[in-house]
Amino acid sequence: MTGTQIISFTLNGEQVEVAVKPAESLADVLRKKLLLTGTKKGCEEGECGACTVLLGGRPVNSCLIPAMKARGKEVITIEGLSPSGELHPIQQAFIEAGAVQCGFCTPGLILSAKSLLDRTPLPEEEEIKTELSGHLCRCTGYTQFVEAVRLAAEKMKQS
Amino acid sequence: MSVQQYLTPLTAGEALAQLAGFAGEGRLIAGGTDLMLWLKKKKFSPKALIDITGIEEFQSLEESGGELIIGAAATHAEVALHPAVRRLAPVLAEACGSVGSPQVRNIATVAGNVVSAQPAADAAVALVALGAQAEIISSGGRRAIPVEELYTGAGGSTVDSTREIVGRIVVRAPGPGGGSAFVRMSPREALALPIVNVAAVLYTDGSVITSARLAIGPVARQPFRPLQAEKLLAGAPMGSLEAFEKAAETAGRESSPRDSLLRGSALYRRQLVRVLVRRALQEATVRIAPGKEG
C-alpha cells in the first residue's frame, strides 16, 4: 500500500489535480506525472539548483520537497513563464546576454531571476548575485547571468 | 520508499495523536530539506510523514517583550529578513542568511536546523550563542530546554521526532548594551558548509563586558562553547583588542577541530577559530552602541 493521494494546486495559472505518493518529490511529479520536463534534475541533493521552481512566488528546490507541500499552493515552472508561447523578457535577456549554453541550468536560473524581479524590479548587483547563488552552471560562467538579469530588468521596466 | 502516508495536522494536539498512533513509525517533517535526503538514503524509514508546517501556532515569528519567538514553521529566509531579528539579534539573521542557498532557505526551517543536529548548522550555532530555549511538546506537556542541551553528544538530537515536537524557539534578545555577530569561512559563499563558523554575543553595561557567549562550529559534535574564553571576556573593557586577542587565542586552544579532507587540516582550522572569534567579537562590539547601523 502506498497511500497515494490526489492533490490539487495551481500550476502555471491552471488548476491541476494529480495523484502523488507520500514522499514523492515535487520534481518527480512535475516531470513524470505532469510531463513538464523543463524542470531539470541535476544533483538531487539541493546543491545545483537545476530543479528550481517557484512555490508561492519563491524559488525552492523541487527535488527536496514532497509534492504534498504544493497542495493548495501556486507553482510556476519554466513552462508557465510565458503562457502565450512568446519568449518572456527574462528568457529573451538570457539569450541576448549569452547566458545560455547547454541549457540545463537555465530554467532554474530564469525562475530565480523572475522571483527576484517580481520583488525588486531594479536589483543591485549584490542582490542579483545572492539570489542566483543557489545555481551551478558549468558552461557560460556567471557574469552573463548577472548581465542577463540587468538586461531583463530594463526590458521589463520598458514594457 | 516505505512511506505510506503524508499527514497534515492542524493542531499540535492532532500531530501528537498521529505520532502516538504510529507508535514510533511516524516522523515529523517541517521543511524537509534534510529529511527528504535521509529518506532516500534510508537513514529513516517511517511509515508516515507528519507535516507540522500547517499548524497555525507554529507559524509565529515575532518579537514580544524583548523575546524573539520563532515558530517551528519559520524558515531561514523569513528569520533572516525579519526586521526585529535583524535589529535585536543580528547574529541570528546573519546565520540564517548563510544556510544553504536561497532555495533551501525558502523552505528549510530554523527549528529543523536544530533538530537535524549537524555540528556545522549555522542557525543552531547562533541560537546556542544566544542561549535560546526550545519549547518541546510531547504527550507529557510542554517544557522549555536550552537549545544547547538538545544534543546527545554523539552527533544526534535528543529530540525524538517520532514522539515529540519542537514547537518554537525563544530567544531573549541581548537588549541595550548587547551586541552580536556571526562570521563564517567557507569555500564559497553559497551551497557550502562552513570550514569554521563563529557566533558571538556580548553583554555590556556600556563600558565593560558583563558577560559573553561564544559558539563555534564544526569543531565538536555539536555547537561548541569555549567557556574559558567566555570567562576571560567577562569584566574586560568594551572593545579591548587585547582581551579579544586573548579570548580568541584561548578559544582556539579549547576547540578541537578534526583533520578533514573537505574542511582543511586541524591546524589550519584551529588558526581559523582564532581569527574568526576575534572578528566576531569586534563586529559584535560595533553593534553595541544604540543608533549605529547594523
Side-chain angles (χ1 to χ4, degrees), chain A residues 1-3 5 22-23 44-47 49 52 58-61 64-66 68-69 71 130-131 133-136, chain B residues 1 3-6 8 29-33 36-37 39-41 51 53 101-104 106-107 188 190-191:
Chain A
M1 198 198 81
T2 56
Q5 290 186 57
E44 297 186 59
E45 291 191 342
E47 300 278 345
T52 300
R58 293 300 173 110
V60 298
N61 298 116
L64 279 189
I65 59 173
M68 288 297 295
K69 280 192 179 287
R71 186 159 64 173
T130 300
E131 192 66 33
S133 65
H135 295 272
L136 297 182
Chain B
M1 227 171 269
V3 183
Q4 291 167 11
Q5 281 191 64
Y6 193 102
T8 50
I29 179 170
T33 52
M36 285 291 277
L37 292 178
L39 291 177
K40 229 187 309 188
K41 292 177 180 163
D51 187 331
T53 57
S101 64
Q103 297 100 306
V104 169
N106 279 335
I107 196 102
R188 62 187 289 258
L191 293 170

Side-chain angles (χ1 to χ4, degrees), chain A residues 42-54:
Chain A
C43 67
E44 297 186 59
E45 291 191 342
E47 300 278 345
C48 76
C51 68
T52 300
V53 302
L54 302 186

Side-chain angles (χ1 to χ4, degrees), chain A residues 11-135:
Chain A
L11 175 60
N12 297 330
E14 284 178 31
Q15 201 67 19
V16 294
E17 280 194 355
V18 61
V20 307
K21 285 183 277 184
E24 196 171 10
S25 73
L26 180 58
D28 279 340
V29 168
L30 290 170
R31 288 177 55 84
K32 293 181 184 166
K33 296 196 165 144
L34 298 162
L35 305 179
L36 295 178
T37 52
T39 301
K40 304 304 179 197
K41 279 170 64 177
C43 67
E44 297 186 59
E45 291 191 342
E47 300 278 345
C48 76
C51 68
T52 300
V53 302
L54 302 186
L55 178 66
R58 293 300 173 110
V60 298
N61 298 116
S62 65
C63 76
L64 279 189
I65 59 173
M68 288 297 295
K69 280 192 179 287
R71 186 159 64 173
K73 303 230 171 82
E74 190 192 20
V75 175
I76 295 176
T77 69
I78 192 68
E79 290 89 347
L81 202 60
S82 175
S84 69
E86 285 180 24
L87 289 179
H88 186 279
I90 303 175
Q91 291 170 311
Q92 189 63 45
F94 266 65
I95 293 170
E96 288 173 23
V100 180
Q101 194 169 322
C102 89
F104 201 83
C105 69
T106 314
L109 270 157
I110 287 179
L111 289 168
S112 280
K114 174 175 164 52
S115 170
L116 172 64
L117 293 173
D118 284 349
R119 277 174 284 138
T120 314
L122 287 173
E124 301 287 335
E125 183 168 330
E126 274 312 304
E127 290 175 279
I128 299 174
K129 286 182 176 171
T130 300
E131 192 66 33
L132 301 188
S133 65
H135 295 272

